Amino acid sequence: MQSDTTSATPALELSRVVKSFGAVVALRSGSLRLHDGSIHALIGENGAGKSTLVKIIAGLYRRDGGEFRLRGEEVDFHSTAQSKANGIAVIYQEPTLFPDLSVVENIFMGRQPTGRLGRIDRAAMRAEATEIFERLGVSIDPDRPTDGLSIADQQIIEIAKAISLDASVLVMDEPTAALSGVEVDRLFSVARSLRDEGRALVFISHRFDEVFDLCDTVTVMRDGAHVDTMPIAETTVDDMVRMMVGRDVTEMFPKLPAEIGEEVLAVDGLTQPGVFHDVSFTVHAGEIVGLAGLVGAGRSEVARAVFGVDPYREGTVHVGGAPLPKGRPRAAMARGLALVPEDRRRQGLVLDLPVTRNITLAVRDRLARFGLIWGSRENESARVWASRLEVKTAALDTESGTLSGGNQQKVVLGKWLATDPKVLIVDEPTRGIDVGTKAEVHRLLSQLAQQGIAILMISSELPEVLGMADRVLVMREGRLTGEFKREQATPEAVMLAATADEEPAR
Amino acid sequence: MTTTATTPTHPVLAGLGRLIRARETGIAIAIVAVVTLATVLNPSFLFSNDGFRDLLLTPSLLMVVAIGQAIVIITRNVDLSVGSVVGLTAYLTGTLFVQVPGLPIVVVFVAGIALGAVLGLINGALVAFAKVPALVITLGTMYIYRGINVAWTGSDRINASDMPASFRGLGTDTVLGLPVLTLLALVVLVYAAWHLRNLRSGRELYAIGSDPAAAQLYGLRVTRRVLAAFVVSGSAAGLAGVLYAARYGTVSSNAGFGWELEAIGAAVIGGVAIFGGVGTVWGAALGAFLLLTINRALPIIGVDDFWQRAVVGVLIIGAIVLDRIAAQRQHRRLVAQREETR
């Protein structure tokens, strides 16, 4: 633990940095002070401005205002090459490697050691890569292409890149999001050894246990601004959550009591080799079932298979007691199923169409008269849903693409609610939505459940799952690994089911 | 956890294994097979006076163009204007000899390559700065360059008698039994291959084609490299234009017509992935060789005129399907390799 470094010149310092994109202010006042030999946690909700801050450090974005100092000297990076040359390495959540090139080439691309005539010294390159892997205690075949490597191994390659660069500042943006327990341990031991070598590390994570386990200092951000920075030893999870959210958790998750009725959706033994195995669960009317797990655990795939967008090889889906044919989304819709997809911009909305058209997209047939769709009927139908969901837009003929993330999500919800669904499957309903609108979406889901709709909610945000769900299902690597009633669902239990690496005997 | 799964093999054996599996080897075998078959059916294909020379000479020009094309395709771009560049530089070559009698041949070469480079620079600048897909940009410049050529040439044409004998000699002369044009193409090939394999600027082309977004994040100078690739492609086409004048003697306004598609076909047959990041100029050059040799061999083998183009089409689609299957198998193998070493 480092406590006496506050007086020394920080390795990197950002103060009151501002960045906006057009009218949208992504960063109002971002501040961060990093010290050598320290692992600094940067936490905040999605949309709090962490990623924007990181991209400014990486040289991907240029700040509009504020100060950025590296070892006391003012800097202004125009490109990632500049930030690299200054010893800054950034590891993104999704590693960015060249799939066709070898591991070694990926590590050294752009700065390969060269000999006579500028010829790349392959032997030297390979030797250094091997040495770095040995030092990190991992063994990855340096000659294989990076295609097919796990995210964890790809991150190790990113770290090897940072080491070969002799980076003094290393930023890791949610590196653990897709890792299993063992892989997280390996990553952490590497991070600690880098800290002990005197480097400054930034660790972005949504998992508090990891933050407490690894970091010595924490900076909290909210709504594009710095909230507080303090030693990790002087804070608690509750403090951090309060600072991140800016309000009490109960307010965030307004769970309304709903009467749980009969079984509406029953999934039995759903299997698609390599994607998910033997997934069985039920959802009752008025019930919110949370589907938790890590990114890549196969949750969205199950949802898409149930709805009929993706195939499955074995298993059955029953809606209201009758079997649902596989691979037929139209049939699923006709039977009262609705799927609000994860990527609303690409899968949920037609961005170039106005709000009206988007809301009525799934009920076009019903609105048509003599085979033609009448604008007035469309507007009427859309207006009802837009006002019920409180979509904030000047006019309903606004292009959907110009709305904020939260309002876009409401439009997608409106589209499906217009079909009068019995079962609503929502995939990451609040991803990338600001805190205020998040609470609105939660309230809405709660109200829908109260009206007797069965809701299956996929979410990677644990507080959301725990706050909203009547029952929590957990998936890991394509299998259901846990089921908890609302009272039993503790963060620890759910996280363990989502990450535990030991396979139970079967 | 990953553990080493590679069993140590002797470097020579490993190298030999790679050579046997390489796409280039497959193409070479196909070439030998085609030549053998054509020669058995008609011995003059190889053993007549000019048989062997023509075998090497015919594909040499397309090889040069295909090398440039391969370099552009490796960066996940494409250059459709190369045929028009060949036409323009071929006509420039003839015009220079007509207008400036006694001009040294070297100057003509430099002028042709320089014009090609400028035309390539225009392509590259439009692609790199306007951020419009290369397919669209070079489709446009293909027509523009050809249009300029037609306007410039009119109904005129350059005849063999307009050019000095020493220059035309380049088109037919041989050194140690090898045509001069082929040797020139080989020099270009060997240098391009060495550069792509051993220099940073060469490897970065592969990186850019493999994942352009990642290349940006790596801080590679993507714009400059893509620009350079187009300049190289233009220059190669320019050189081919000069050689065209030497080889054929007559240059009209449709010289090099359709070569862009043959060059792309050659690169694809040679294993250059159309989405970039994979392939070698050796493959592209061998692809060009195979393409034109098959064209010459088909009439001898007795394939009807009508079917000759179809055979080329089958070859191209076959090559792409083969690539697809190989890539999927490799991907599965790599995933499996990771799984079993966990």
Side-chain angles (χ1 to χ4, degrees), chain B residues 55-127:
Chain B
L55 178 70
L56 294 179
L57 207 46
T58 310
S60 298
L61 303 190
L62 186 61
M63 271 166 69
V64 174
V65 179
I67 290 165
Q69 186 69 257
I71 291 171
V72 170
I73 295 179
I74 283 169
T75 66
R76 203 182 278 194
N77 284 293
V78 71
D79 187 350
L80 288 177
S81 74
V82 287
S84 302
V85 174
V86 169
L88 264 179
T89 50
Y91 191 69
L92 173 80
T93 305
T95 310
L96 281 176
F97 282 122
V98 174
Q99 305 280 336
V100 195
L103 195 67
I105 290 174
V106 179
V107 176
V108 175
F109 268 90
V110 171
I113 294 171
L115 176 62
V118 169
L119 297 175
L121 184 68
I122 294 170
N123 286 333
L126 287 170
V127 170

Side-chain angles (χ1 to χ4, degrees), chain A residues 346-478:
Chain A
R346 277 169 44 197
Q347 298 170 357
L349 283 176
V350 184
L351 293 175
D352 299 330
L353 284 185
V355 171
T356 325
R357 290 279 174 80
N358 267 300
I359 291 184
T360 56
L361 212 50
V363 290
R364 285 184 324 247
D365 293 349
R366 216 176 300 166
L367 288 177
R369 196 179 272 172
F370 316 121
L372 297 174
I373 298 170
W374 300 83
S376 56
R377 282 167 64 97
E378 219 177 22
N379 289 337
E380 200 181 316
S381 161
R383 196 170 304 121
V384 174
W385 286 107
S387 68
R388 277 182 68 179
L389 302 182
E390 297 171 26
V391 176
K392 292 183 190 68
T393 169
L396 285 180
D397 55 8
T398 316
E399 269 184 28
S400 312
T402 61
L403 299 181
S404 72
N407 279 309
Q408 285 182 358
Q409 186 65 295
K410 288 185 193 169
V411 172
V412 183
L413 274 170
K415 173 175 92 177
W416 287 111
L417 294 179
T419 66
D420 195 15
K422 287 205 281 281
V423 182
L424 182 64
I425 306 175
V426 284
D427 197 350
E428 303 286 1
T430 60
R431 172 173 289 176
I433 293 181
D434 63 275
V435 176
T437 319
K438 232 178 206 180
E440 280 180 48
V441 170
H442 290 149
R443 189 171 307 116
L444 187 70
L445 289 175
S446 218
Q447 281 167 358
L448 292 172
Q450 212 171 21
Q451 291 161 17
I453 296 179
I455 298 179
L456 178 65
M457 180 181 75
I458 299 173
S459 173
S460 298
E461 290 183 41
L462 205 44
E464 181 169 275
V465 173
L466 301 183
M468 296 297 300
D470 296 297
R471 207 145 48 86
V472 180
L473 305 173
V474 187
M475 276 187 75
R476 172 168 52 81
E477 291 173 10

Side-chain angles (χ1 to χ4, degrees), chain A residues 126 130 133 135 154 220 226 236 262 277 295 301 338 349 373 387 392-393 399 431 477 506:
Chain A
R126 198 176 181 285
T130 314
F133 285 145
R135 210 166 108 200
Q154 291 184 40
V220 184
H226 174 259
T236 64
E262 61 194 34
H277 304 274
V295 174
E301 288 77 2
L349 283 176
I373 298 170
S387 68
K392 292 183 190 68
T393 169
E399 269 184 28
R431 172 173 289 176
E477 291 173 10
R506 69 175 97 232

Side-chain angles (χ1 to χ4, degrees), chain A residues 154-475:
Chain A
Q154 291 184 40
Q155 270 163 351
I156 292 294
I157 294 172
E158 295 275 3
I159 289 174
K161 228 156 84 180
I163 294 173
S164 83
L165 191 71
D166 199 23
S168 57
V169 176
L170 189 70
V171 182
M172 297 189 282
D173 191 354
E174 289 194 53
T176 56
L179 302 195
S180 69
V182 179
E183 291 167 333
V184 169
D185 290 344
R186 180 176 73 167
L187 181 73
F188 281 10
S189 70
V190 167
R192 288 192 188 96
S193 73
L194 294 177
R195 174 197 64 198
D196 296 340
E197 289 171 12
R199 301 175 209 265
L201 280 79
V202 178
F203 176 72
I204 298 179
S205 176
H206 282 299
R207 302 184 190 158
F208 293 111
D209 53 335
E210 293 178 356
V211 168
F212 277 95
D213 187 17
L214 183 67
C215 305
D216 44 60
T217 319
V218 57
T219 289
V220 184
M221 288 183 75
R222 184 177 71 229
D223 301 337
H226 174 259
V227 178
D228 202 357
T229 299
M230 65 224 130
I232 214 97
E234 295 168 21
T235 184
T236 64
V237 173
D238 288 347
D239 287 344
M240 285 199 271
V241 171
R242 206 170 303 116
M243 280 188 275
M244 274 167 65
V245 180
R247 70 201 77 194
D248 276 332
V249 178
T250 48
E251 213 178 303
M252 279 295 297
F253 306 107
K255 176 88 177 102
L256 304 170
E259 198 174 311
I260 294 179
E262 61 194 34
E263 185 178 293
V264 184
L265 176 69
V267 174
D268 190 33
L270 215 59
T271 299
Q272 172 71 11
V275 187
F276 47 80
H277 304 274
D278 196 18
V279 175
S280 306
F281 61 88
T282 58
V283 186
H284 296 252
E287 187 184 34
I288 301 182
V289 174
L291 187 50
L294 300 182
V295 174
R299 297 167 301 164
S300 303
E301 288 77 2
V302 168
R304 290 168 56 88
V306 168
F307 191 65
V309 193
D310 286 353
Y312 55 90
R313 188 175 291 176
E314 283 161 44
T316 55
V317 178
H318 284 78
V319 179
L324 187 71
K326 58 169 101 172
R328 292 183 45 200
R330 291 188 78 88
M333 278 167 68
R335 298 282 295 282
L337 239 64
L339 172 69
V340 177
E342 185 177 11
D343 186 345
R344 62 178 163 270
R345 293 185 65 89
R346 277 169 44 197
Q347 298 170 357
L349 283 176
V350 184
L351 293 175
D352 299 330
L353 284 185
V355 171
T356 325
R357 290 279 174 80
N358 267 300
I359 291 184
T360 56
L361 212 50
V363 290
R364 285 184 324 247
D365 293 349
R366 216 176 300 166
L367 288 177
R369 196 179 272 172
F370 316 121
L372 297 174
I373 298 170
W374 300 83
S376 56
R377 282 167 64 97
E378 219 177 22
N379 289 337
E380 200 181 316
S381 161
R383 196 170 304 121
V384 174
W385 286 107
S387 68
R388 277 182 68 179
L389 302 182
E390 297 171 26
V391 176
K392 292 183 190 68
T393 169
L396 285 180
D397 55 8
T398 316
E399 269 184 28
S400 312
T402 61
L403 299 181
S404 72
N407 279 309
Q408 285 182 358
Q409 186 65 295
K410 288 185 193 169
V411 172
V412 183
L413 274 170
K415 173 175 92 177
W416 287 111
L417 294 179
T419 66
D420 195 15
K422 287 205 281 281
V423 182
L424 182 64
I425 306 175
V426 284
D427 197 350
E428 303 286 1
T430 60
R431 172 173 289 176
I433 293 181
D434 63 275
V435 176
T437 319
K438 232 178 206 180
E440 280 180 48
V441 170
H442 290 149
R443 189 171 307 116
L444 187 70
L445 289 175
S446 218
Q447 281 167 358
L448 292 172
Q450 212 171 21
Q451 291 161 17
I453 296 179
I455 298 179
L456 178 65
M457 180 181 75
I458 299 173
S459 173
S460 298
E461 290 183 41
L462 205 44
E464 181 169 275
V465 173
L466 301 183
M468 296 297 300
D470 296 297
R471 207 145 48 86
V472 180
L473 305 173
V474 187
M475 276 187 75

Side-chain angles (χ1 to χ4, degrees), chain B:
Chain B
M1 233 23 181
T2 316
T3 48
T4 321
T6 47
T7 41
T9 36
H10 194 274
V12 174
L13 278 180
L16 201 66
R18 266 202 301 280
L19 190 69
I20 290 169
R21 276 194 303 273
R23 175 62 159 272
E24 290 79 1
T25 316
I27 308 279
I29 290 170
I31 292 171
V32 171
V34 169
V35 171
T36 311
L37 187 59
T39 310
V40 167
L41 291 172
N42 182 352
S44 73
F45 185 76
L46 193 57
F47 298 116
S48 69
N49 279 342
D50 296 334
F52 181 66
R53 198 196 64 183
D54 282 352
L55 178 70
L56 294 179
L57 207 46
T58 310
S60 298
L61 303 190
L62 186 61
M63 271 166 69
V64 174
V65 179
I67 290 165
Q69 186 69 257
I71 291 171
V72 170
I73 295 179
I74 283 169
T75 66
R76 203 182 278 194
N77 284 293
V78 71
D79 187 350
L80 288 177
S81 74
V82 287
S84 302
V85 174
V86 169
L88 264 179
T89 50
Y91 191 69
L92 173 80
T93 305
T95 310
L96 281 176
F97 282 122
V98 174
Q99 305 280 336
V100 195
L103 195 67
I105 290 174
V106 179
V107 176
V108 175
F109 268 90
V110 171
I113 294 171
L115 176 62
V118 169
L119 297 175
L121 184 68
I122 294 170
N123 286 333
L126 287 170
V127 170
F129 294 114
K131 307 273 177 230
V132 180
L135 185 76
V136 180
I137 293 282
T138 58
L139 184 66
T141 55
M142 173 179 97
Y143 283 114
I144 293 170
Y145 296 168
R146 185 63 72 186
I148 293 171
N149 194 354
V150 171
W152 185 20
T153 323
S155 59
D156 206 13
R157 67 177 205 183
I158 305 290
N159 293 309
S161 56
D162 297 333
M163 290 180 279
S166 55
F167 179 69
R168 276 184 293 123
L170 282 178
T172 44
D173 285 351
T174 55
V175 176
L176 301 172
L178 295 174
V180 175
L181 289 191
T182 306
L183 289 174
L184 267 172
L186 267 179
V187 169
V188 172
L189 173 60
V190 169
Y191 177 75
W194 184 84
H195 191 123
L196 282 186
R197 179 168 163 77
N198 288 315
L199 297 191
R200 280 187 192 176
S201 52
R203 300 314 299 169
E204 286 177 15
L205 296 178
Y206 284 92
I208 290 165
S210 187
D211 188 341
Q216 209 83 48
L217 284 176
Y218 266 66
L220 302 186
R221 286 170 293 193
V222 177
T223 308
R224 178 191 292 199
R225 296 284 180 239
V226 170
L227 203 64
F230 275 99
V231 170
V232 167
S233 170
S235 310
L239 173 63
V242 178
L243 301 180
Y244 184 99
R247 164 105 171 92
Y248 297 105
T250 19
V251 182
S252 64
S253 62
N254 69 351
F257 191 82
W259 282 29
E260 60 283 334
L261 298 183
E262 290 193 333
I264 295 170
V268 168
I269 291 170
V272 178
I274 200 77
F275 289 119
V278 178
T280 65
V281 289
W282 286 107
L286 285 168
F289 202 107
L290 179 62
L291 197 62
L292 293 193
T293 305
I294 283 190
N295 267 344
R296 286 180 57 236
L298 286 177
I300 292 168
I301 295 172
V303 175
D304 196 345
D305 256 10
F306 299 110
W307 289 104
Q308 286 174 24
R309 282 176 176 270
V311 169
V312 172
V314 167
L315 200 61
I316 291 173
I317 292 176
I320 288 184
V321 169
L322 195 69
D323 276 348
R324 218 35 235 148
I325 294 171
Q328 277 172 358
R329 280 183 51 184
Q330 155 140 335
H331 182 79
R332 273 204 297 274
R333 188 176 58 79
L334 288 170
V335 171
Q337 183 181 327
R338 193 250 299 175
E339 290 291 325
E340 80 196 23
T341 55
R342 276 164 85 84

